[in-house]
Amino acid sequence: MNGLANYQDEAYNLIKKLILTLKLHPGERINIADLHSKFNIGTTPIREAIIRLRREGLIFVIPQSGTYVSKINLAEVYQGRYVREHLEGLIVTEAVSAMTPRDHAQLDQIIAAQEIQLTAHDYDQFFNLDEQFHQTFYQLTQKQFIWNWLELLNTQFNRFRYLRLEVSGLNWDQILIEHRQIVEAVHQGDLSKIQKTVQQHLHMLDSDAHVVTKALPEYFERT
């Protein structure tokens, strides 16, 4: 039984990653046989994984038609941003008092790595480092459980952030600039500046949403 559960978890994580990273596009039909061949996992664990992803709103089924990747719900994207905005400023300010010189150096290393990936136009790695940057503060404050909860709650928000990679003309330098501003405020222990820069950073969504929805309207639910 544990073996089957492990396969279900593996299938769930793999399919969810395909959806979040847009290897399976919003609105795309899911072929279970293709997933079985791609992952070499039995169809039963895959079907169980799809049930879990349905509950999370990432997949929907049309009777007599098939199983599809859900389109992005922009209202849920904004709600995910709302929660992050109100929690993350508190998390980052709390992290300041817990940080060691090594922790400060780690933030600088993440920023340096992001600069390299941005120059190389490797936006997948840039996105992964972006996740690492934010998660670091939750780890420093012993709030990994909250990060895990946010990752589940922020599924639509994260899908939107990854979709941003697909759209040309958006200012990736601005993300790095704002990360630097957050790190500078953290190094200085300036708590009010931390709150302001974190809020400003997460509000990039407001300007990005117009550009992304205009470029890829077919990926979003109609309101």
Side-chain angles (χ1 to χ4, degrees):
M1 186 67 182
N2 287 336
L4 179 59
N6 289 338
Y7 281 126
Q8 290 174 2
D9 288 342
E10 183 180 2
Y12 166 83
N13 290 325
L14 289 169
I15 298 169
K16 186 171 184 176
K17 184 175 182 180
L18 290 180
I19 294 172
L20 291 178
T21 59
L22 302 171
K23 301 299 189 297
L24 287 172
H25 292 126
E28 183 176 344
R29 190 173 186 272
I30 295 174
N31 188 309
I32 292 177
D34 286 347
L35 294 176
H36 167 67
S37 176
K38 182 180 182 68
F39 298 137
N40 195 27
I41 297 175
T43 55
T44 297
I46 290 174
R47 290 182 189 279
E48 291 297 323
I50 286 174
I51 291 172
R52 288 173 64 182
L53 292 166
R54 254 183 100 181
R55 294 191 189 117
E56 293 181 21
L58 288 175
I59 286 175
F60 69 97
V61 175
I62 300 178
Q64 313 304 319
S65 176
T67 301
Y68 297 84
V69 178
S70 298
K71 295 190 176 184
I72 297 172
N73 184 310
L74 198 56
E76 291 184 14
V77 172
Y78 277 105
Q79 290 180 51
R81 193 278 306 276
Y82 179 87
V83 174
R84 281 282 294 273
E85 178 186 339
H86 284 76
L87 276 177
E88 198 150 308
L90 296 173
I91 296 288
V92 178
T93 54
E94 184 179 332
V96 171
S97 61
M99 290 179 66
T100 65
R102 183 176 180 178
D103 297 325
H104 283 279
Q106 181 185 0
L107 290 177
D108 290 334
Q109 289 167 4
I110 293 173
I111 296 297
Q114 282 197 296
E115 290 175 349
I116 292 170
Q117 301 306 330
L118 186 60
T119 301
H121 303 291
D122 189 339
Y123 297 128
D124 281 357
Q125 281 303 314
F126 186 89
F127 180 87
N128 290 337
L129 288 164
D130 184 88
E131 287 283 279
Q132 183 183 346
F133 175 80
H134 290 277
Q135 185 181 10
T136 296
F137 295 106
Y138 293 80
Q139 292 171 333
L140 288 170
T141 54
Q142 307 298 311
K143 290 181 173 59
Q144 182 66 41
F145 175 82
I146 293 178
W147 173 263
N148 294 339
W149 172 71
L150 284 173
E151 284 293 277
L152 185 61
L153 182 69
N154 279 256
T155 298
Q156 297 286 13
F157 182 52
N158 286 334
R159 290 178 79 193
F160 177 87
R161 290 172 63 218
Y162 213 96
L163 184 60
R164 192 183 190 281
L165 301 172
E166 302 289 310
V167 179
S168 61
L170 290 177
N171 187 358
W172 284 93
D173 289 332
Q174 187 61 31
I175 293 176
L176 188 55
I177 289 169
E178 292 180 2
H179 279 188
R180 287 199 197 102
Q181 290 172 343
I182 293 170
V183 170
E184 180 183 355
V186 168
H187 288 340
Q188 294 172 350
D190 188 335
L191 303 187
S192 61
K193 186 178 179 181
I194 288 171
Q195 290 277 6
K196 180 180 178 181
T197 53
V198 169
Q199 184 179 50
Q200 177 184 341
H201 180 57
L202 292 172
H203 265 271
M204 282 188 71
L205 170 64
D206 293 340
S207 57
D208 290 351
H210 175 72
V211 177
V212 175
T213 55
K214 184 177 181 180
L216 299 166
E218 68 276 13
Y219 286 172
F220 292 86
E221 291 183 6
R222 294 182 179 178
T223 57

